[in-house]
Amino acid sequence: MVEDKKPQHQHDFDGIEENDNDLPRWWLGIFAVTIAFAVFYVPYYHFMHPEKLPHAALQAELDQRQTVLAAAEAEKAAEQPADPNATLTAAFQAGGWEESGKAVYNANCAACHAPDGGGTIGPNFTDDYYLHGGKLSDIIHVVTEGVPAKGMISWKPILKPDQIRDVSFFVRSLRGTTPAQPKEKQGELVDEAGNFVDAAAPTE
Ligand code: HEC
């Protein structure tokens, strides 16, 4: 306890007595240091470099991250061709898949879609009507994922990706041919590219 040095300055309020003592040296020392610190701190952070204040620094980091993410997104978009069907159509027209596609078809698909694509249990591939779309990507999608509820299995676990591609190209090549016993049309009319003519037609 510090000794009361100036009892003459004592005053009393509500029964509480207070002496006007000198502040301890250590306290004054810290007070002086904080004032000296503020003289540098306030101009530095609040006037010279406001961007270094925590909130601004955080915001800057978030903005930077946003930029990096946007750049990565743009890069990814640039890598993917705008229309996957453009690449597929080019590969389809380039050929080279016919033999492998036909072999896979005869071994796995002919039982339900008929050897000439006329259709039996599965739909007819020679007409312009499709249940799930006639684009190369649509056909590849159906063959890959299947329509299990309707009796068309997923070929993903059985065929390799290039076999799926080749057999899908083969299926596409059957369109416009004349089968021995064509099954009645199923699904909706598609245009040459394979898009449904009626935009309201189902895509799944
Ligand atoms: C067990 C019989 C069966 C086998 C085997 C089969 N499919 Fe199917 N496939 C179906 C049925 C049934 C549908 C109709 C599905 C529906 O109603 O949605 C179908 C639908 C399709 C469609 C969609 C046609 C459209 O109109 O959109 C394609 C493409 C197709 N099959 C390709 C193949 C290929 C390629 C193979 C061989 C790898 C194959 N299927 C093997 C029964 C079969």
Side-chain angles (χ1 to χ4, degrees):
M1 222 16 214
V2 182
E3 279 289 303
D4 284 357
K5 288 188 190 131
K6 296 178 180 166
Q8 68 270 30
H9 285 295
Q10 188 176 34
H11 66 271
D12 173 275
F13 184 80
D14 264 5
I16 299 170
E17 289 179 3
E18 183 190 48
N19 291 336
D20 186 14
N21 292 321
D22 286 339
L23 288 160
R25 262 171 207 284
W26 61 264
W27 193 94
L28 284 170
I30 293 174
F31 186 47
V33 168
T34 59
I35 291 171
F37 183 74
V39 169
F40 295 100
Y41 182 91
V42 171
Y44 185 80
Y45 281 103
H46 288 272
F47 298 105
M48 287 158 70
H49 296 289
E51 77 280 1
K52 288 190 179 173
L53 284 170
H55 186 73
L58 173 68
Q59 195 56 48
E61 250 181 67
L62 287 176
D63 289 349
Q64 195 190 354
R65 186 171 155 71
Q66 202 57 43
T67 321
V68 171
L69 285 180
E73 195 76 19
E75 203 174 304
K76 214 167 135 196
E79 269 173 22
Q80 264 170 6
D83 178 10
N85 277 294
T87 322
L88 288 173
T89 304
F92 176 67
Q93 284 164 354
W97 44 264
E98 293 87 346
E99 222 170 284
S100 140
K102 194 178 168 92
V104 174
Y105 185 88
N106 286 338
N108 302 286
C109 324
C112 291
H113 292 282
D116 59 8
T120 50
I121 297 166
N124 181 346
F125 291 144
T126 66
D127 59 15
D128 293 337
Y129 289 79
Y130 283 82
L131 291 160
H132 303 282
K135 294 197 293 288
L136 289 167
S137 58
D138 296 330
I139 298 173
I140 289 175
H141 180 79
V142 174
V143 178
T144 308
E145 303 300 333
V147 193
K150 301 281 175 61
M152 166 71 184
I153 67 163
S154 158
W155 292 92
K156 195 167 41 179
I158 300 156
L159 300 176
K160 294 199 208 77
D162 52 340
Q163 289 181 308
I164 289 182
R165 193 200 70 152
D166 292 351
V167 77
S168 300
F169 285 179
F170 182 74
V171 165
R172 174 63 184 81
S173 76
L174 293 169
R175 187 173 160 194
T177 61
T178 313
Q181 288 176 312
K183 192 179 175 186
E184 80 287 358
K185 65 185 191 218
Q186 284 170 275
E188 302 290 334
L189 185 63
V190 299
D191 63 16
E192 183 53 32
N195 294 299
F196 287 114
V197 172
D198 174 4
T203 51
E204 273 302 315

